[in-house]
Amino acid sequence: MSSLDYRVMDTQIFNLGLTVYATSAYIVICSLVGDGVPATYDNLSARWGAEGVHLDSALDELSSWLIIELAQGPENQTAYTPNPASIWRTPGSRTN
């Protein structure tokens, strides 16, 4: 879904009951993407204010909801990209 080139932070993120870390990671990802900076793990870590273990669990949580996904960024770097809220799904639910 990352081919949609979605760049807008969706405020529905606050209605999902996610952890503070997952919500914060989503905001940082959207901020990076909005600034035209690839949301690589290194770039996320540079803006992350908590311990790295919290970033790892936040990224896992966002991925399980299909809120973010990995995509190929510039220079063959792997980067996180946000999906539009219409794609988000409760973990374990069917995607179709």
Side-chain angles (χ1 to χ4, degrees):
M1 290 299 148
S2 61
S3 61
L4 295 174
D5 198 28
Y6 191 73
R7 298 178 183 266
V8 177
M9 188 189 99
D10 196 311
T11 58
Q12 290 185 53
I13 194 74
F14 300 110
N15 299 327
L16 299 179
L18 301 175
T19 63
V20 170
Y21 294 116
T23 303
S24 298
Y26 174 75
I27 292 168
V28 173
I29 290 167
C30 290
S31 173
L32 286 166
V33 171
D35 290 347
V37 176
T40 63
Y41 190 85
D42 288 344
N43 289 341
L44 284 166
S45 294
R47 290 195 185 180
W48 188 249
E51 294 180 28
V53 66
H54 296 301
L55 177 58
D56 295 338
S57 64
L59 295 171
D60 288 343
E61 186 175 356
L62 292 172
S63 294
S64 71
W65 280 82
L66 303 179
I67 294 169
I68 61 168
E69 63 183 70
L70 288 173
Q72 199 68 14
E75 301 176 14
N76 293 324
Q77 294 179 329
T78 302
Y80 296 92
T81 184
N83 285 321
S86 61
I87 296 172
W88 302 353
R89 297 288 180 265
T90 304
S93 67
R94 297 183 70 181
T95 57
N96 294 342

